[in-house]
């Protein structure tokens, strides 16, 4: 049996009042865990604005 490492995050709320240190911490911690699967649930953005979705996509790509 092979071990599968899953990292699950929820409610990122990228944009708005999302602190850069929070994002920087995620971008450092998630890849360091070397997940086989990254699951993101809940709200990706704070206000569902186009720019926030672009920023969220960028964050997710850096974690993957």
């Amino acid at each position: 049996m092979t071990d599968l490492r899953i990292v699950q995050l929820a409610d990122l709320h990228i944009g708005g009042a999302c602190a850069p240190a929070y994002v920087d911490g995620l971008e450092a911690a998630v890849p360091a865990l070397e997940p086989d699967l990254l699951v993101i649930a809940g709200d990706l953005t704070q206000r569902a604005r186009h720019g926030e979705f672009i920023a969220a996509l960028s964050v997710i790509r850096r974690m993957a």
Side-chain angles (χ1 to χ4, degrees), residues 10-55:
D11 298 315
L12 297 179
H13 290 275
I14 301 296
C18 183
Y22 163 80
V23 174
D24 292 343
L26 284 176
E27 290 176 352
V30 171
L33 294 170
E34 299 179 353
D36 297 301
L37 180 64
L38 175 60
V39 177
I40 302 174
D43 300 325
L44 291 176
T45 69
Q46 185 67 29
R47 302 266 187 250
R49 300 246 166 36
H50 179 76
E52 292 175 345
F53 280 107
I54 298 299

Side-chain angles (χ1 to χ4, degrees), residues 1-13:
M1 177 179 256
T2 304
D3 290 333
L4 181 64
R5 189 178 310 236
I6 300 171
V7 171
Q8 190 241 324
L9 305 172
D11 298 315
L12 297 179
H13 290 275

